[in-house]
Amino acid sequence: MAKKIIVDPLTRIEGHLRIQTILNDNNVVTDASSTSALFRGIEIILKNRDPREAWALAERICGVCTLVHAMASVRAVEDALQISVPSTANIIRNILIATLFVHDHIVHFYHLQALDWVDVVSALKADPKATAALAQKISNWGDSSVGYFTDMKTRLKTFVGSGQLGIFANAYWGHPGYKLPPEANLLAFAHYIEALNWQREIVKIHTVFAGKNPHPFMLVGGMPCSINMESPDTINIDRLELVKSKIDEAVTVVDQLYLPDALAILSFYKDWTQWGGGVSNKGVLDYGDFPEVSGDTSTNRWKGGVVLDGNLKEVHEVNPADPEQIQEFVSYAWYQYTQGDKVGLHPWAGETNPQYTGPKPPWDFLDMDKRYSWMKAPRWRKKSMEGGPLARTILALAHGDDEVKSLVDYSLTQLNLPFEAMYSTFGRILARALETKRAVTMLTKLYGDLIANIKAGNYNTANTEKWDPSTWPKEEVKGVGTYAAPRGALAHWVKIKDEKISNYQAVVATTWNGSPKDPMGQHGPFEASLIGLPLQVPDKPLEILRVIHSFDPCLACSTHVLDMSGKEITRVKVT
C-alpha cells in the first residue's frame, strides 16, 4: 500500500515550505508536491507607487538575500525609464553582488545544509588528536590543533549535557544515512562555529557601500554613497581598506575552510550522485550577471542562457522581454487568471489574483490533482527549468569558461567521478562550493577595478538626470531587471504610467525551482528531483531534506499571519 510522507514545515530555509511524497512498497518516492504555504503579495502592494521607491518594498520579498530584489527592482525601473548608471556605481553594485554570493553560499553550506550530512551528536565520540590530524591533512586553516578540537568537543558536550541542543535540535541524529566518522563530524561542527562567527564580518562590505545589512539601501540611477578620500563621512581610504581586509578574509575562508570541507564531506557520499537530479540534465536557465556596463546584459561576465538535455555544445538565448519565452501558469496554484487556468502569462501581462481553494489549516494530505501551492509555475518555452549554482556551472561550461572548467575538472578528478555526477544532489552541492570560489575571485577583481576607477577620477556614483517625474515619458513604459541570484534566476518586471507603477511582477529563483505542476503535467524541479528517491527510514525522511536543501530554498515572505485553525490574527494596512 502506498505511503504518504509529509514534511511540513521543511526547516533550515527562509519561509514556509511543505513537501508531500507518495512512496511505493519499497519506500521509493513515486510522486511529490512542493507547496509554498503562505501567500506573498508584494506585487499588489507595489501598484500605484512611485517606481523610485519600489526597491525598498521589493527587497522585503525576502529576509535573507534582500539585496537581490532591491537590485532587480532598480534595474527594472532603470530599464523602463532608460536611466544610465555611472561606471563606479556599477562596479560597487557588482561588489555587493559578489559579496552576497560568498556570504550566502557559505552560510547555506554550514548552517542550513551541513546537518543533513554531519551527525553532530556523533562528534562526541571523536578523538581530538585524530580530528586535528584530519584537519591538517585537508587544509592550512589556522585553528587545527589538538587543543582547539578538545575545546570544541567540550563545547559540544555542554550543549548536549544541558539537554537543550539549541541550534542543533530537531534533527535525525543517529540516522543510518549518516556516514562521516566521528572525527569528521567534530571537524564540521568546529567549522560550523567558525563560519557562524565569520559571516557577520563579510557583510560589513554591504554596510560600507549600502548602509546596512540586511535590507541595504539602493538608488535608481546608481548607489546611495559618495566617495571622497579626504572626508571622514564618505567612502574614503579607511573604508576601502576595511573592504579589502574583508575580501582577503573571504578568500582565506573559501580556500581553507569551505572548499576543503565540501570536498571532504562529499567524498563520503558519492552514492548521492544517483539521486536528486530532477530536471537538471533536461533544462537549466540563468540570466547572467556582473555587467561591465549597467543595463547591458551582453556585457555580463557571468553569461546567461538556457542549456537543454545536457547539450553543452549549444546555449539557447533567454530573453525575459519575450512573451513566448517566459510564462507563468496557475493551474495548480491558488490564483486565478481572467483568461482561464490553462493560459500562461508573461510577467508584463501578469496577474496576481489570489484565490485560496484548499482546506482550512491544519492541513492533512493536500490533493495533488488540485491546486496546492501559493507559487505559480514559471516555464521557459513551456519547459520546466532548474536555476541556481548547478545551472550556472553548466552554462559556464557551455560558454567555454576556462576558470569554471578548471574548477570542475579538478574537483571531479579529486573525487574520481565522471562529469555526469554533476546532475544530482551531490553535483548541486559541489557546484555551489565551486561557484563560491568563482565569486570570491570575481570579488577580488572588482575591488581592483574600483580602485582603478577612483584613481582615474571617476567619483560619481549616481545619475539623477531623470529623477524628476516630469521628464518621464507620458505613455506607459515597461522594463525588466534581471539578476543571477544565489538560488537561481531572478527577474522583476515593471510597467509605469502616469508616474506610478501600473503593474509589477517578480519571478523569484525558488518559484522556478519550487513550482507546482503546470497544465502540461510537468513537475517543478523540487518535485521532479524527489521522484525515484529511496528512503531508508520513511518516518525520518532525511533523504528528502538532503535533496530539497541542495537547492537552498527561499520561500517568499508572507503577508498574513494565521493561527493553526486558519483564523486571521492581525492585518496590516499599507497606505
Side-chain angles (χ1 to χ4, degrees):
M1 182 178 177
K3 303 172 187 175
K4 298 177 179 178
I5 301 295
I6 303 172
V7 182
D8 182 15
L10 193 146
T11 56
R12 282 187 272 125
I13 66 170
E14 163 70 6
H16 305 265
L17 176 64
R18 171 190 177 95
I19 296 293
Q20 295 185 160
T21 59
I22 297 176
L23 312 184
N24 63 17
D25 292 339
N26 296 318
N27 293 328
V28 174
V29 176
T30 59
D31 202 1
S33 66
S34 164
T35 297
S36 177
L38 285 175
F39 169 62
R40 173 181 61 87
I42 297 293
E43 293 99 335
I44 298 172
I45 295 172
L46 281 167
K47 288 186 73 172
N48 297 316
R49 288 185 173 271
D50 188 323
R52 294 169 298 178
E53 68 181 23
W55 65 267
L57 291 167
E59 74 176 353
R60 265 67 182 180
I61 287 173
C62 178
V64 175
C65 49
T66 56
L67 171 75
V68 305
H69 296 291
M71 193 75 74
S73 182
V74 295
R75 285 175 171 176
V77 174
E78 288 160 358
D79 183 47
L81 299 176
Q82 295 297 292
I83 297 174
S84 61
V85 174
S87 61
T88 297
N90 182 58
I91 295 171
I92 291 173
R93 287 183 177 186
N94 284 337
I95 287 174
L96 298 182
I97 293 169
T99 300
L100 178 63
F101 266 107
V102 178
H103 175 268
D104 196 271
H105 285 345
I106 291 177
V107 166
H108 175 260
F109 178 77
Y110 286 103
H111 308 126
L112 304 182
Q113 186 175 39
L115 304 185
D116 298 340
W117 310 93
V118 174
D119 189 338
V120 171
V121 176
S122 161
L124 293 172
K125 302 174 184 177
D127 175 3
K129 183 177 180 180
T131 303
L134 173 63
Q136 293 163 19
K137 179 180 178 181
I138 68 173
S139 169
N140 294 323
W141 183 252
D143 290 325
S144 299
S145 68
V146 176
Y148 171 76
F149 287 111
T150 299
D151 290 344
M152 279 295 175
K153 184 175 178 180
T154 301
R155 191 170 179 178
L156 180 58
K157 280 183 179 178
T158 303
F159 268 118
V160 176
S162 69
Q164 296 181 357
L165 277 170
I167 55 178
F168 303 114
N170 298 323
Y172 300 127
W173 306 132
H175 191 287
Y178 287 116
K179 294 185 178 182
L180 295 184
E183 287 71 28
N185 284 317
L186 179 58
L187 175 67
F189 164 75
H191 290 176
Y192 179 111
I193 301 300
E194 294 279 2
L196 196 61
N197 292 329
W198 165 82
Q199 60 86 28
R200 68 189 178 197
E201 293 299 315
I202 190 172
V203 296
K204 290 178 180 178
I205 297 174
H206 280 190
T207 66
V208 167
F209 293 117
K212 63 191 180 80
N213 181 291
H215 301 303
F217 294 107
M218 290 297 296
L219 180 74
V220 171
M223 286 298 302
C225 60
S226 57
I227 299 173
N228 185 336
M229 296 297 107
E230 307 300 323
S231 172
D233 301 320
T234 63
I235 307 299
N236 55 32
I237 191 63
D238 291 336
R239 286 175 172 79
L240 290 173
E241 285 296 325
L242 173 63
V243 169
K244 179 63 165 61
S245 71
K246 296 308 167 186
I247 292 174
D248 291 343
E249 288 173 8
V251 171
T252 301
V253 168
V254 173
D255 288 347
Q256 297 183 19
L257 205 69
Y258 183 14
L259 280 177
D261 284 355
L263 291 174
I265 291 173
L266 286 171
S267 70
F268 287 89
Y269 291 103
K270 293 182 183 180
D271 54 330
W272 274 85
T273 60
Q274 304 173 58
W275 301 304
V279 304
S280 61
N281 63 347
K282 298 177 182 177
V284 297
L285 174 148
D286 196 75
Y287 297 118
D289 219 309
F290 298 110
E292 294 188 48
V293 178
S294 181
D296 184 356
T297 55
S298 70
T299 69
N300 283 345
R301 295 175 178 90
W302 288 15
K303 303 297 184 183
V306 166
V307 170
L308 297 176
D309 301 320
N311 181 10
L312 300 184
K313 296 181 179 180
E314 183 178 14
V315 179
H316 300 266
E317 176 202 42
V318 56
N319 181 359
D322 184 351
E324 297 300 317
Q325 290 196 31
I326 310 296
Q327 295 178 342
E328 287 191 293
F329 296 87
V330 296
S331 299
Y332 291 86
W334 290 309
Y335 297 95
Q336 270 196 335
Y337 281 166
T338 55
Q339 299 177 51
D341 296 341
K342 303 298 182 184
V343 67
L345 295 182
H346 182 270
W348 273 330
E351 300 173 1
T352 305
N353 302 320
Q355 184 177 41
Y356 181 70
T357 58
K360 288 185 177 181
W363 293 328
D364 192 8
F365 197 83
L366 290 172
D367 190 337
M368 292 156 60
D369 292 325
K370 297 180 180 178
R371 301 173 190 270
Y372 58 83
S373 181
W374 281 114
M375 277 187 279
K376 299 176 183 178
R379 298 293 185 259
W380 179 83
R381 297 196 184 280
K382 297 184 171 60
K383 297 179 184 293
S384 180
M385 310 297 292
E386 176 173 333
L390 178 55
R392 282 188 290 267
T393 298
I394 293 168
L395 277 161
L397 293 172
H399 279 292
D401 189 308
D402 291 335
E403 176 193 11
V404 174
K405 185 178 187 304
S406 177
L407 289 169
V408 172
D409 288 349
Y410 170 80
S411 301
L412 292 178
T413 299
Q414 290 289 105
L415 295 164
N416 193 27
L417 288 170
F419 178 75
E420 288 68 30
M422 295 298 292
Y423 298 110
S424 64
T425 297
F426 180 103
R428 213 170 277 119
I429 297 169
L430 177 59
R432 183 172 288 106
L434 300 184
E435 182 168 88
T436 310
K437 174 60 177 176
R438 189 185 182 196
V440 83
T441 300
M442 176 67 72
L443 184 55
T444 301
K445 181 185 183 305
L446 289 167
Y447 180 81
D449 292 344
L450 177 62
I451 297 302
N453 232 38
I454 291 173
K455 286 182 177 179
N458 296 318
Y459 287 82
N460 185 22
T461 58
N463 174 12
T464 60
E465 288 181 2
K466 294 187 179 180
W467 258 68
D468 182 352
S470 66
T471 65
W472 298 354
K474 301 305 177 185
E475 69 279 4
E476 184 177 68
V477 293
K478 56 188 179 182
V480 57
T482 61
Y483 189 110
R487 291 162 178 83
L490 168 69
H492 287 211
W493 288 260
V494 65
K495 283 187 174 182
I496 301 169
K497 186 176 183 180
D498 297 329
E499 303 176 7
K500 302 291 183 183
I501 294 171
S502 57
N503 195 10
Y504 199 101
Q505 296 290 317
V507 181
V508 305
T510 297
T511 312
W512 281 101
N513 288 333
S515 68
K517 290 185 291 187
D518 57 36
M520 294 75 77
Q522 298 175 107
H523 286 283
F526 284 6
E527 298 176 344
S529 68
L530 291 170
I531 296 173
L533 178 70
L535 303 188
Q536 286 184 269
V537 185
D539 62 344
K540 296 180 179 180
L542 177 64
E543 295 85 355
I544 292 176
L545 299 186
R546 286 176 169 176
V547 171
I548 300 301
H549 281 153
S550 74
F551 288 90
D552 190 7
C554 190
L555 278 293
C557 299
S558 63
T559 55
H560 295 50
V561 180
L562 308 177
D563 68 11
M564 289 301 290
S565 66
K567 181 180 178 182
E568 185 173 299
I569 296 174
T570 187
R571 177 171 294 189
V572 178
K573 184 178 180 181
V574 180
T575 59

